[in-house]
Amino acid sequence: MAYDFEKERNEAIDAGERALSSLQAARGELQSAGNWGLLDLFGGDMISGLVKHSKMGNAQKYMEEAKYNLQSFSRELQDVNMTHNLNLNVGDFFFDGLVADWLVQDRINEARNQVEDAIQQVEDIVRHLRTM
């Protein structure tokens, strides 16, 4: 069977768009978790803490999905002779207490920065694929 560059390129673009979708969902949940985390730090109640943890759990789910989608995207890129090391670290966000709340807020911001970097990389690669 002959190599079909156009088919492989389209598969890579589709995989990139799936990765972007899960990364953007993670970004939204991280942004929301960060907002609830600030409220929790500065006088929030039990409800704000519960919402923050729910948002963090959602973000973690989307980051796991993004990690899977980024691996798929990397495999598809190999099919069009492009190699990129796309990586996303997913950690455990759950702590308790005021000091831990500061640490959680820092972890949320760190995760948000990683997601932003991954979004930028994937957008750049998909943009390049579209021009090939």
Side-chain angles (χ1 to χ4, degrees):
M1 179 176 255
Y3 175 75
D4 186 347
F5 177 78
E6 193 68 24
K7 175 182 173 274
E8 298 297 339
R9 183 180 69 93
N10 287 335
E11 287 176 357
I13 290 169
D14 289 344
E17 288 174 348
R18 282 191 306 276
L20 278 173
S21 178
S22 53
L23 286 165
Q24 290 164 343
R27 175 177 58 190
E29 292 296 324
L30 287 166
Q31 180 66 44
S32 184
N35 293 341
W36 282 100
L38 287 174
L39 177 62
D40 197 30
L41 276 171
F42 298 108
D45 57 11
M46 189 171 85
I47 299 295
S48 64
L50 290 173
V51 173
K52 174 186 74 176
H53 284 288
S54 173
K55 295 294 183 180
M56 289 170 15
N58 291 343
Q60 190 160 355
K61 179 186 77 128
Y62 285 122
M63 290 173 71
E64 287 290 346
E65 183 180 298
K67 189 174 185 176
Y68 172 81
N69 287 333
L70 288 169
Q71 290 168 345
S72 174
F73 185 41
S74 290
R75 285 190 302 275
E76 292 297 338
L77 288 175
Q78 291 173 0
D79 292 345
V80 291
N81 296 319
M82 291 179 68
T83 56
H84 286 274
N85 186 17
L86 301 167
N87 213 352
L88 184 63
N89 294 324
V90 181
D92 183 11
F93 291 113
F94 298 96
F95 299 95
D96 288 318
L98 180 60
V99 172
D101 284 344
W102 280 105
L103 294 173
V104 168
Q105 198 65 28
D106 188 50
R107 293 286 305 277
I108 290 169
N109 291 332
E110 181 182 319
R112 202 167 44 209
N113 289 338
Q114 288 177 345
V115 167
E116 287 294 337
D117 289 346
I119 288 171
Q120 186 62 52
Q121 286 179 44
V122 173
E123 284 177 342
D124 290 346
I125 295 166
V126 169
R127 193 174 310 113
H128 177 74
L129 285 166
R130 291 185 189 283
T131 63
M132 292 176 79

